[in-house]
Amino acid sequence: MRKPFIAGNWKMNLERKSALDLVARIKEHVGARDDVDVAVFPPFVYVDEVARALRGSKIAVGAQNCCDEPHGAFTGEISAAQLADVGATLVILGHSERRHVYGEGNELVNRKVHAALDKGLAVILCVGETLEQRQAKQTEKVIGGQLTAGLAGVSARDLLKITIAYEPVWAIGTGQVATAKQAGEAHAYLRGVLGGVYTDSLADQTRIQYGGSVKPDNVKELLLVPDVDGCLVGGASLKAETFLPLIDGRRMR
Ligand code: PGA
Protein backbone atom coordinates (compact mmCIF):
# COMPACT_ATOMS: atom_id res chain seq x y z
CA MET A 1 0.00 0.00 0.00
CA ARG A 2 1.45 3.36 -1.02
CA LYS A 3 0.97 6.23 1.39
CA PRO A 4 -0.18 9.47 -0.27
CA PHE A 5 2.58 12.05 -0.60
CA ILE A 6 1.58 15.72 -0.80
CA ALA A 7 4.41 18.08 -1.74
CA GLY A 8 4.39 21.87 -1.96
CA ASN A 9 6.74 23.35 -4.56
CA TRP A 10 6.90 27.02 -3.66
CA LYS A 11 8.94 27.93 -6.75
CA MET A 12 10.28 31.53 -6.48
CA ASN A 13 7.58 32.62 -4.02
CA LEU A 14 7.25 33.61 -0.36
CA GLU A 15 9.76 35.38 1.86
CA ARG A 16 11.03 34.67 5.36
CA LYS A 17 7.93 35.71 7.31
CA SER A 18 5.31 34.30 4.96
CA ALA A 19 7.30 31.05 4.68
CA LEU A 20 7.59 30.60 8.44
CA ASP A 21 3.93 31.49 9.01
CA LEU A 22 2.90 28.91 6.42
CA VAL A 23 5.04 26.09 7.80
CA ALA A 24 3.78 26.80 11.33
CA ARG A 25 0.23 26.21 10.06
CA ILE A 26 1.23 23.05 8.19
CA LYS A 27 3.07 21.71 11.25
CA GLU A 28 0.09 22.29 13.47
CA HIS A 29 -2.26 20.69 10.95
CA VAL A 30 -0.20 17.56 10.33
CA GLY A 31 0.72 16.95 13.97
CA ALA A 32 1.46 13.26 14.54
CA ARG A 33 -0.57 11.99 11.57
CA ASP A 34 0.99 9.13 9.70
CA ASP A 35 -1.63 8.51 7.01
CA VAL A 36 0.03 10.99 4.66
CA ASP A 37 3.56 12.19 3.88
CA VAL A 38 4.00 15.95 3.50
CA ALA A 39 6.98 17.91 2.21
CA VAL A 40 7.66 21.54 1.37
CA PHE A 41 10.20 22.88 -1.15
CA PRO A 42 11.19 26.46 -0.33
CA PRO A 43 13.58 28.56 -2.39
CA PHE A 44 17.21 27.62 -1.56
CA VAL A 45 17.81 30.58 0.76
CA TYR A 46 15.01 29.51 3.12
CA VAL A 47 15.68 25.76 3.21
CA ASP A 48 17.86 26.03 6.32
CA GLU A 49 15.42 28.13 8.32
CA VAL A 50 12.34 26.16 7.24
CA ALA A 51 14.13 22.91 8.12
CA ARG A 52 14.86 24.30 11.59
CA ALA A 53 11.25 25.38 12.02
CA LEU A 54 10.06 21.90 11.10
CA ARG A 55 12.58 19.97 13.15
CA GLY A 56 10.83 17.32 15.22
CA SER A 57 7.76 17.39 12.95
CA LYS A 58 6.72 14.79 10.38
CA ILE A 59 7.07 17.28 7.52
CA ALA A 60 10.08 16.95 5.24
CA VAL A 61 11.94 19.83 3.62
CA GLY A 62 13.49 19.69 0.18
CA ALA A 63 15.03 21.87 -2.50
CA GLN A 64 13.70 22.64 -5.97
CA ASN A 65 16.93 21.77 -7.78
CA CYS A 66 20.58 20.90 -7.18
CA CYS A 67 23.86 20.87 -9.09
CA ASP A 68 25.01 17.73 -10.87
CA GLU A 69 28.56 18.27 -9.59
CA PRO A 70 29.62 17.63 -5.99
CA HIS A 71 31.61 20.88 -5.49
CA GLY A 72 33.90 23.30 -7.28
CA ALA A 73 33.82 26.29 -9.59
CA PHE A 74 30.12 26.37 -10.49
CA THR A 75 29.03 29.93 -9.80
CA GLY A 76 25.45 30.19 -8.61
CA GLU A 77 24.96 26.46 -8.08
CA ILE A 78 24.10 24.55 -4.88
CA SER A 79 25.34 21.02 -4.23
CA ALA A 80 23.41 18.07 -2.88
CA ALA A 81 25.82 17.89 0.09
CA GLN A 82 25.10 21.54 0.95
CA LEU A 83 21.38 20.87 0.85
CA ALA A 84 21.72 17.83 3.10
CA ASP A 85 23.93 19.89 5.41
CA VAL A 86 21.14 22.42 6.07
CA GLY A 87 18.44 19.83 6.65
CA ALA A 88 17.00 19.04 3.22
CA THR A 89 16.15 15.39 2.75
CA LEU A 90 14.67 15.66 -0.73
CA VAL A 91 15.14 17.43 -4.03
CA ILE A 92 12.84 18.00 -7.02
CA LEU A 93 14.63 17.24 -10.30
CA GLY A 94 13.56 17.57 -13.91
CA HIS A 95 10.74 20.00 -13.17
CA SER A 96 9.26 21.27 -16.41
CA GLU A 97 10.34 24.84 -15.62
CA ARG A 98 13.93 23.58 -15.33
CA ARG A 99 13.54 21.61 -18.56
CA HIS A 100 11.72 24.21 -20.62
CA VAL A 101 12.81 27.58 -19.19
CA TYR A 102 16.42 26.66 -18.36
CA GLY A 103 17.00 24.03 -21.02
CA GLU A 104 17.80 21.05 -18.81
CA GLY A 105 17.86 17.84 -20.81
CA ASN A 106 17.45 14.22 -19.76
CA GLU A 107 21.19 13.61 -19.40
CA LEU A 108 21.70 16.53 -17.05
CA VAL A 109 18.64 15.51 -15.04
CA ASN A 110 20.06 11.99 -14.75
CA ARG A 111 23.41 13.32 -13.50
CA LYS A 112 21.56 15.39 -10.91
CA VAL A 113 19.60 12.31 -9.81
CA HIS A 114 22.87 10.49 -9.16
CA ALA A 115 24.41 13.51 -7.43
CA ALA A 116 21.42 13.71 -5.08
CA LEU A 117 21.28 9.99 -4.34
CA ASP A 118 25.05 9.94 -3.67
CA LYS A 119 24.52 12.40 -0.83
CA GLY A 120 21.53 10.56 0.58
CA LEU A 121 18.80 12.87 -0.73
CA ALA A 122 15.49 11.41 -1.86
CA VAL A 123 14.32 12.62 -5.26
CA ILE A 124 11.07 13.69 -6.87
CA LEU A 125 11.73 13.10 -10.57
CA CYS A 126 9.30 15.07 -12.76
CA VAL A 127 8.17 14.03 -16.21
CA GLY A 128 5.52 15.52 -18.47
CA GLU A 129 4.53 16.23 -22.04
CA THR A 130 3.76 19.58 -23.67
CA LEU A 131 0.39 20.27 -25.27
CA GLU A 132 1.89 19.86 -28.75
CA GLN A 133 3.33 16.49 -27.78
CA ARG A 134 -0.03 15.34 -26.36
CA GLN A 135 -1.85 16.49 -29.49
CA ALA A 136 0.71 14.62 -31.61
CA LYS A 137 -0.03 11.50 -29.51
CA GLN A 138 3.53 11.43 -28.21
CA THR A 139 2.70 11.55 -24.51
CA GLU A 140 3.86 8.01 -23.75
CA LYS A 141 7.01 8.32 -25.82
CA VAL A 142 7.96 11.59 -24.10
CA ILE A 143 7.20 10.67 -20.51
CA GLY A 144 8.54 7.12 -20.91
CA GLY A 145 11.75 8.54 -22.38
CA GLN A 146 12.12 11.11 -19.59
CA LEU A 147 11.52 8.40 -17.00
CA THR A 148 14.00 5.84 -18.31
CA ALA A 149 16.65 8.47 -19.10
CA GLY A 150 16.22 10.14 -15.72
CA LEU A 151 16.62 6.82 -13.93
CA ALA A 152 19.51 5.47 -16.05
CA GLY A 153 21.98 3.68 -13.81
CA VAL A 154 19.77 3.98 -10.70
CA SER A 155 19.82 0.74 -8.73
CA ALA A 156 16.72 -1.06 -7.53
CA ARG A 157 17.70 -0.14 -3.98
CA ASP A 158 17.92 3.55 -4.86
CA LEU A 159 14.60 3.47 -6.69
CA LEU A 160 13.03 3.20 -3.25
CA LYS A 161 14.27 6.78 -2.60
CA ILE A 162 12.56 8.13 -5.71
CA THR A 163 9.08 9.48 -6.23
CA ILE A 164 7.91 10.12 -9.77
CA ALA A 165 5.80 13.19 -10.50
CA TYR A 166 3.69 13.18 -13.64
CA GLU A 167 3.23 16.85 -14.49
CA PRO A 168 1.75 17.58 -17.91
CA VAL A 169 3.32 20.88 -18.93
CA TRP A 170 -0.01 22.19 -20.24
CA ALA A 171 -1.53 21.78 -16.77
CA ILE A 172 1.14 23.57 -14.75
CA GLY A 173 0.00 26.96 -13.50
CA THR A 174 -2.72 27.11 -16.13
CA GLY A 175 -5.77 26.08 -14.12
CA GLN A 176 -6.30 23.35 -16.71
CA VAL A 177 -6.03 20.17 -14.67
CA ALA A 178 -5.69 16.75 -16.28
CA THR A 179 -8.84 14.67 -16.07
CA ALA A 180 -8.86 11.61 -13.84
CA LYS A 181 -8.79 9.54 -17.02
CA GLN A 182 -5.76 11.34 -18.46
CA ALA A 183 -3.87 11.14 -15.17
CA GLY A 184 -4.84 7.49 -14.69
CA GLU A 185 -3.61 6.52 -18.16
CA ALA A 186 -0.28 8.33 -17.78
CA HIS A 187 0.34 6.99 -14.27
CA ALA A 188 -0.49 3.42 -15.27
CA TYR A 189 1.81 3.75 -18.26
CA LEU A 190 4.68 5.07 -16.10
CA ARG A 191 4.19 2.27 -13.59
CA GLY A 192 4.34 -0.22 -16.43
CA VAL A 193 7.61 1.29 -17.65
CA LEU A 194 9.03 1.05 -14.13
CA GLY A 195 7.95 -2.59 -13.99
CA GLY A 196 9.76 -3.29 -17.25
CA VAL A 197 12.99 -1.60 -16.17
CA TYR A 198 12.92 -2.92 -12.59
CA THR A 199 10.32 -5.39 -11.32
CA ASP A 200 6.55 -5.24 -10.92
CA SER A 201 7.00 -5.36 -7.19
CA LEU A 202 9.31 -2.33 -7.18
CA ALA A 203 7.01 -0.49 -9.57
CA ASP A 204 4.20 -1.22 -7.17
CA GLN A 205 6.11 0.34 -4.28
CA THR A 206 7.06 3.51 -6.18
CA ARG A 207 4.85 6.51 -5.63
CA ILE A 208 3.72 8.51 -8.64
CA GLN A 209 2.40 11.98 -7.85
CA TYR A 210 0.25 14.06 -10.15
CA GLY A 211 1.11 17.74 -10.59
CA GLY A 212 -0.50 20.57 -12.54
CA SER A 213 -3.20 22.93 -11.20
CA VAL A 214 -4.08 20.74 -8.22
CA LYS A 215 -6.55 22.64 -6.03
CA PRO A 216 -8.86 21.79 -3.12
CA ASP A 217 -11.78 21.38 -5.53
CA ASN A 218 -10.11 18.82 -7.81
CA VAL A 219 -7.78 16.94 -5.45
CA LYS A 220 -10.40 14.44 -4.32
CA GLU A 221 -11.08 13.18 -7.82
CA LEU A 222 -7.37 12.90 -8.62
CA LEU A 223 -6.52 11.04 -5.43
CA LEU A 224 -9.28 8.54 -6.16
CA VAL A 225 -7.39 7.38 -9.26
CA PRO A 226 -5.71 4.11 -8.21
CA ASP A 227 -2.26 4.96 -9.61
CA VAL A 228 -2.20 8.55 -8.28
CA ASP A 229 -0.25 8.48 -5.02
CA GLY A 230 -0.35 12.12 -4.06
CA CYS A 231 0.38 15.43 -5.68
CA LEU A 232 3.11 17.94 -6.36
CA VAL A 233 1.53 21.34 -5.94
CA GLY A 234 2.67 24.80 -7.00
CA GLY A 235 0.19 27.67 -6.67
CA ALA A 236 -2.10 26.04 -4.12
CA SER A 237 0.85 25.22 -1.82
CA LEU A 238 1.52 28.88 -1.04
CA LYS A 239 -1.38 29.41 1.35
CA ALA A 240 -2.55 27.32 4.29
CA GLU A 241 -6.16 27.80 3.13
CA THR A 242 -5.48 25.95 -0.11
CA PHE A 243 -2.65 23.59 0.94
CA LEU A 244 -4.12 22.10 4.13
CA PRO A 245 -7.24 20.73 2.35
CA LEU A 246 -4.89 18.93 -0.08
CA ILE A 247 -3.22 17.14 2.82
CA ASP A 248 -6.68 15.91 3.77
CA GLY A 249 -7.58 15.01 0.18
CA ARG A 250 -7.49 11.26 0.64
CA ARG A 251 -9.60 11.43 3.80
CA MET A 252 -12.54 12.62 1.75
CA ARG A 253 -12.84 9.20 0.20
P1 PGA B 1 0.79 24.35 -10.19
O1 PGA B 1 2.33 23.85 -10.30
O2 PGA B 1 0.18 23.54 -9.06
O3 PGA B 1 0.88 25.81 -9.86
O4 PGA B 1 0.16 24.05 -11.50
C1 PGA B 1 2.66 22.50 -10.17
C2 PGA B 1 4.14 22.30 -10.29
O5 PGA B 1 4.77 22.98 -11.13
O6 PGA B 1 4.75 21.48 -9.57
Side-chain angles (χ1 to χ4, degrees):
M1 194 59 193
R2 299 178 298 266
K3 193 189 282 192
F5 180 13
I6 310 297
N9 171 15
W10 296 354
K11 309 191 181 184
M12 200 171 70
N13 294 297
L14 304 182
E15 291 180 0
R16 190 192 305 264
K17 183 171 183 324
S18 49
L20 292 175
D21 286 351
L22 174 60
V23 294
R25 296 278 306 273
I26 301 171
K27 190 174 169 182
E28 186 190 11
H29 187 79
V30 172
R33 274 175 69 175
D34 63 1
D35 59 328
V36 60
D37 286 333
V38 179
V40 292
F41 295 81
F44 284 135
V45 290
Y46 302 122
V47 169
D48 189 356
E49 199 160 353
V50 167
R52 283 171 207 261
L54 289 174
R55 198 166 287 162
S57 79
K58 306 198 79 148
I59 300 146
V61 181
Q64 301 168 17
N65 186 22
C66 75
C67 188
D68 59 318
E69 294 286 345
H71 52 77
F74 300 100
T75 301
E77 291 292 312
I78 307 281
S79 74
Q82 289 166 333
L83 293 173
D85 190 38
V86 296
T89 57
L90 291 140
V91 62
I92 297 172
L93 295 173
H95 189 277
S96 78
E97 285 144 22
R98 299 301 318 171
R99 292 181 189 269
H100 297 287
V101 183
Y102 296 98
E104 292 190 9
N106 282 330
E107 281 177 24
L108 176 59
V109 172
N110 178 246
R111 289 202 302 277
K112 291 184 177 202
V113 168
H114 285 283
L117 291 171
D118 276 354
K119 297 299 172 198
L121 295 179
V123 171
I124 296 181
L125 173 64
C126 304
V127 301
E129 82 287 0
T130 63
L131 186 58
E132 294 70 38
Q133 289 164 336
R134 173 164 282 270
Q135 285 166 344
K137 305 209 176 314
Q138 292 189 329
T139 297
E140 293 190 349
K141 185 168 164 244
V142 171
I143 63 176
Q146 290 173 337
L147 184 68
T148 48
L151 293 177
V154 171
S155 68
R157 197 162 142 251
D158 277 344
L159 184 68
L160 297 170
K161 296 206 72 177
I162 296 190
T163 297
I164 308 301
Y166 170 60
E167 297 205 306
V169 180
W170 46 270
I172 296 178
T174 60
Q176 195 190 339
V177 67
T179 63
K181 183 168 177 287
Q182 288 170 325
E185 284 168 0
H187 284 229
Y189 174 73
L190 290 169
R191 203 176 300 286
V193 172
L194 284 174
V197 176
Y198 296 92
T199 61
D200 285 347
S201 153
L202 271 172
D204 220 45
Q205 291 171 61
T206 304
R207 290 186 290 197
I208 307 178
Q209 295 172 316
Y210 168 80
S213 297
V214 176
K215 304 272 182 285
D217 63 2
N218 59 32
V219 69
K220 180 182 171 186
E221 193 186 353
L222 289 162
L223 292 180
L224 279 171
V225 179
D227 276 304
V228 174
D229 307 312
C231 36
L232 179 55
V233 188
S237 74
L238 299 175
K239 288 196 172 130
E241 289 65 35
T242 45
F243 191 58
L244 302 186
L246 306 182
I247 295 172
D248 300 336
R250 191 57 84 76
R251 278 186 169 174
M252 297 183 221
R253 237 180 214 197

